[in-house]
Amino acid sequence: MTVVSRPPLTSDERTQLTGWLDLQRSFVRMKCEGLTEADAHRSVLSTSPLMTMAGLVAHLRWNEYSWFQLSLVGVPDTGQTPWTKDGHPDAEMFVDDVPLAQLLDEYDEECARSNATIADLSLDALEQGTGDDDPASLRYILCHMIEETARHVGHLDIIRELIDGATRYDWRTPA
C-alpha cells in the first residue's frame, strides 16, 4: 500500500471515513520501510515486550479481521485467528518467527478485504457477528478503526525512532 493523500476537504461522510482510514493504514508500511528483520522484531520497551514493529503490524491486521469480518459481517471464526479461549489476550503479537514482509502483505490484504466487505454496506449497517443487544454501526466501526490505526501508527513512529532515529510523516505523497 502506498501512502495516500488526505480525503478531499468537502467530500461526503463515507469518503471522509474510508479516506482517513486508508491514509492511516498506508503509514503502517511507510513506518516499516528499510527495517532489518532483527529490528522489526526488537523489543525496545522493557515493560511491553510484545510491542515491536512486527507485533504491531500483526495486531493491526487481526483488528481489521476482527472488526470487519468477525463482528460486522459475522464470518464464523473457524480457528484461523490467533486467539483461543484460555490463550494470551495478545496472542496476535507473538510473531517472532514471521518475516516482516509477510506481516505487511497480510495486513495490506486484510485492509483490501475490509474495504471490499464494506463497499456496498450502508454506514448504518449493524454488526451481525457479536450476538450483542447493542451492535455497533459501520460508521462507529470506521471511526474506531481510524482511532485504533492512528494510535498504533504513533506507536510505530516512536518505536522506529527508538530503533534507528528514523522519522517520517508524509501524507502529501500521491497514491
Side-chain angles (χ1 to χ4, degrees), residues 6-26:
R6 290 179 174 173
L9 296 173
T10 58
S11 57
D12 63 89
E13 180 183 17
R14 181 182 207 87
T15 302
Q16 289 284 339
L17 292 171
T18 57
W20 281 103
L21 181 54
D22 282 341
L23 177 66
Q24 293 303 315
R25 288 168 170 164
S26 73

Side-chain angles (χ1 to χ4, degrees), residues 57-72:
V57 172
H59 172 75
L60 285 165
R61 180 269 169 119
W62 286 108
N63 269 294
E64 288 276 337
Y65 182 81
S66 179
W67 276 100
F68 291 110
Q69 303 307 316
L70 297 177
S71 295
L72 182 62

Side-chain angles (χ1 to χ4, degrees), residues 128-173:
Q128 301 297 306
T130 62
D132 194 345
D133 290 335
D134 192 22
S137 68
L138 173 56
R139 179 181 292 102
Y140 173 91
I141 292 169
L142 286 168
C143 288
H144 170 73
M145 289 304 294
I146 293 167
E147 180 273 332
E148 174 84 8
T149 307
R151 181 166 33 93
H152 290 310
V153 166
H155 293 140
L156 289 168
D157 196 37
I158 291 166
I159 292 169
R160 181 64 188 260
E161 190 169 353
L162 289 170
I163 288 171
D164 64 8
T167 59
R168 181 174 169 211
Y169 180 77
D170 184 5
W171 56 267
R172 295 178 193 264
T173 305

Side-chain angles (χ1 to χ4, degrees), residues 1-3 23-35 53 57 60 100-109 153 156 160 168:
M1 179 180 285
T2 60
V3 175
L23 177 66
Q24 293 303 315
R25 288 168 170 164
S26 73
F27 293 145
V28 173
R29 187 173 283 273
M30 181 188 73
K31 298 293 179 187
C32 294
E33 285 177 357
L35 280 174
M53 299 293 280
V57 172
L60 285 165
L100 179 61
Q102 177 183 332
L103 294 168
L104 287 165
D105 288 346
E106 289 172 356
Y107 178 63
D108 288 347
E109 290 166 10
V153 166
L156 289 168
R160 181 64 188 260
R168 181 174 169 211

